[in-house]
Amino acid sequence: MDRTETLPADDAGIARAAALLREGRLVAFPTETVYGLGGDATDDRAVARIFEAKGRPRFNPLIVHLPGLEEAEVVAVFDHRARAVAGAFWPGPLTLVLPLREGAGISPLVTAGLPTVAIRVPAHPVARALLRAAGRPVAAPSANPSGRVSPTRAAHVLDGLAGRIAAVVDGGACAVGVESTILGLDGEPRLLRPGGIPAEALEAALGQPLTTGGSAAKPNAPGQLASHYAPGAMVRLNARAAETGEILVGFGPVKGDLTLSPGGDLVEAAANLFHILREADALAGPQGRIAFAPIPGHGLGRAINDRLSRAAAPRG
Ligand code: TXA
Ligand code: MG
């Protein structure tokens, strides 16, 4: 990729950043917690590029950033508890995990195929202006390579991601410096990640204690459940040809009934993965079988293989 632009946090810089986001490019921007690596949450390819730029070996679900409650209600289903905490703590360092609204257009790569979505309305004025100007939901993990420390200055972002993203908006140092608190409200209130808003403040607003422990059935980090992403059909990996009755999903030279990427492009394959899994599942039927062509183990291929091995894992 070409040089990463450093944009000023003024009207012109924000307009440029918003235009880049609308083109499906990646833009890092300041929030009150840490700098986020933003991409259009409705664009599968933009979201795939986020994982690629971070070098993330797994498709963990990402947080969707919106400028206000009104926009958030388009993407997620709020109940009275969600409205109460949103009213008390938004804009601010609180992320809510809520049921995903049908037809909201969020890429399934953002939610890791889950029926829930993590939503955050940041308080930083530059983030808010950018989200308004972009006019669409923005997925944004912290703007650092996977496994490295989260960035709280534009220079930190460039240290890790220069040349891998289109731009960074320089809004100075982040005030909070730790990521947002994540509160699960898709069932009983659960503290999924401690962060910028203390758990006690949430308990006071909800009028009840939070549970923290995940369980085998409901782990804190969705990606940890081995067969979490399993489709209805049985899945076989590293297939070069279909066996009788299988739907073959190809990649590159392995053609298949469907393909993750005819040209063997890992970004395209990642962008297609969740859609193709669903499509193959529908074609295979309830007792059916799906076979996947081998996917190279480098770059986004690691994340794709991680996800496919979960889909193929023995069902508990
Ligand atoms: O402060 C922050 O929240 C920063 C700034 C940039 O806004 N963002 C951030 O995003 O930390 P991210 O994408 O790295 O956070 C992802 C975490 C996942 O590891 C997962 O724990 C949780 O959010 N998460 C996302 N979607 C979820 C879901 N549907 N169910 C449960 N947890 C979810
Ligand atoms: Mg992070």
Side-chain angles (χ1 to χ4, degrees):
M1 198 197 257
D2 16 56
R3 200 178 61 84
T4 298
E5 297 173 38
T6 299
L7 300 171
D10 59 13
D11 288 353
I14 287 166
R16 169 80 183 142
L20 287 167
L21 284 172
R22 285 195 300 268
E23 283 170 22
R25 315 275 309 272
L26 302 185
V27 176
F29 62 94
T31 80
E32 71 278 24
T33 59
V34 300
Y35 274 74
L37 173 53
D40 181 347
T42 66
D43 178 341
D44 295 321
R45 280 175 163 270
V47 179
R49 286 190 194 106
I50 293 176
F51 290 100
E52 182 186 51
K54 283 184 70 83
R56 253 199 199 179
R58 286 185 184 173
F59 296 129
N60 299 323
L62 301 177
I63 296 174
V64 174
H65 296 65
L66 291 157
L69 178 59
E70 200 182 317
E71 291 82 0
E73 297 230 23
V74 175
V75 172
V77 180
F78 284 67
D79 61 13
H80 67 280
R81 302 169 308 170
R83 288 208 186 89
V85 286
F89 300 104
W90 278 358
L94 173 68
T95 295
L96 299 179
V97 172
L98 299 170
L100 177 65
R101 195 177 283 284
E102 284 292 323
I106 298 297
S107 167
L109 266 184
V110 168
T111 53
L114 295 165
T116 53
V117 62
I119 304 275
R120 159 152 150 72
V121 174
H124 197 293
V126 175
R128 291 165 67 72
L130 177 59
L131 293 169
R132 289 226 180 274
R136 62 198 59 203
V138 172
S142 55
N144 52 281
S146 185
R148 302 253 306 267
V149 177
S150 296
T152 53
R153 307 242 182 318
H156 299 170
V157 175
L158 291 170
D159 280 347
L161 297 175
R164 304 177 70 86
I165 61 176
V168 55
V169 182
D170 188 351
C174 302
V176 177
V178 297
E179 278 92 344
S180 59
T181 302
I182 304 181
L183 175 64
L185 284 179
D186 50 324
E188 283 306 295
R190 286 184 304 150
L191 181 67
L192 298 173
R193 178 176 77 183
I197 300 280
E200 296 78 359
L202 294 174
E203 291 180 329
L206 286 165
Q208 75 181 101
L210 301 177
T211 60
T212 49
S215 65
K218 259 196 160 201
N220 276 348
Q224 280 169 3
L225 190 56
S227 71
H228 199 91
Y229 305 105
M234 295 305 292
V235 174
R236 183 168 73 89
L237 305 182
N238 295 316
R240 289 176 194 280
E243 290 171 2
T244 314
E246 278 181 343
I247 298 295
L248 178 64
V249 179
F251 177 83
V254 178
K255 295 284 175 257
D257 304 292
L258 303 165
T259 180
L260 287 172
S261 167
D265 173 3
L266 289 169
V267 172
E268 181 181 40
N272 285 335
L273 181 61
F274 287 103
H275 296 294
I276 296 270
L277 255 175
R278 278 167 194 267
E279 219 178 304
D281 206 23
L283 282 175
Q287 305 300 320
R289 290 181 298 140
I290 307 171
F292 279 86
I295 309 293
H298 60 83
L300 280 185
R302 274 178 71 196
I304 294 169
N305 282 318
D306 169 76
R307 180 55 49 79
L308 287 179
S309 64
R310 286 165 202 280
R315 312 289 159 81

